[in-house]
């Protein structure tokens, strides 16, 4: 079974930065894509950023220009660098991995809080 462990969450003021990490139990090269999602109170889980096995990235409109997803294959880790954070970025951030044919796997999440 694939296991994903997120870390790096915390509390920051608006305009601050955080770097989230997602360490996997296996080689990230086995996943066709990895992604970061977030879920705020009272909201549905939404895609923030994704990266494919070929290195292509995609971002939510709300994240584009502020967030950067990257990977380190040697460390089996995917990162989400978050800059210029806003209160509306407050959410639990989840790491997601897609494999074929097993499907999707999720981490337990890490809390990000942006407030004055």
């Amino acid at each position: 079974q694939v296991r994903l462990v997120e870390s790096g969450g915390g509390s920051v003021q608006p305009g601050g930065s955080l770097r989230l990490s997602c360490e996997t139990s296996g080689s990230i090269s086995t996943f066709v894509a990895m992604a970061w999602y977030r879920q705020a109170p009272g909201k549905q889980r939404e895609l923030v950023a994704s990266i494919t096995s070929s290195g292509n990235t995609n971002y939510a409109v709300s994240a584009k220009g502020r967030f950067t997803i990257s990977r380190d294959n040697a460390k089996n880790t995917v990162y989400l660098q978050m800059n210029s954070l806003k209160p509306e970025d407050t959410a639990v951030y989840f790491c997601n991995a897609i494999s074929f044919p097993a499907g999707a796997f999720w981490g337990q999440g890490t809390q990000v809080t942006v407030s004055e």
Side-chain angles (χ1 to χ4, degrees):
Q1 177 67 30
V2 173
R3 300 193 69 179
L4 288 69
V5 180
E6 303 97 332
S7 62
S11 182
V12 298
Q13 293 187 331
S17 298
L18 286 172
R19 188 194 193 199
L20 307 183
S21 298
C22 173
E23 186 174 0
T24 70
S25 60
S27 174
I28 62 174
S29 65
T30 64
F31 302 115
V32 299
M34 297 194 70
W36 287 95
Y37 286 73
R38 67 186 180 190
Q39 187 165 21
K43 301 281 289 184
Q44 296 211 84
R45 191 170 298 185
E46 65 174 344
L47 176 66
V48 178
S50 64
I51 184 167
T52 69
S53 59
S54 63
N56 293 328
T57 58
N58 190 48
Y59 298 91
V61 172
S62 61
K64 190 175 183 179
R66 299 188 299 125
F67 294 2
T68 303
I69 187 170
S70 62
R71 67 188 183 194
D72 186 332
N73 290 343
K75 295 181 178 179
N76 295 319
T77 300
V78 173
Y79 304 96
L80 184 67
Q81 178 67 46
M82 304 186 294
N83 299 325
S84 302
L85 284 162
K86 305 174 181 179
E88 51 263 43
D89 295 318
T90 296
V92 177
Y93 284 70
F94 297 91
C95 185
N96 168 258
I98 302 295
S99 67
F100 182 85
F105 302 90
W106 295 90
Q108 293 301 305
T110 184
Q111 177 71 47
V112 171
T113 302
V114 185
S115 63
E116 296 291 347

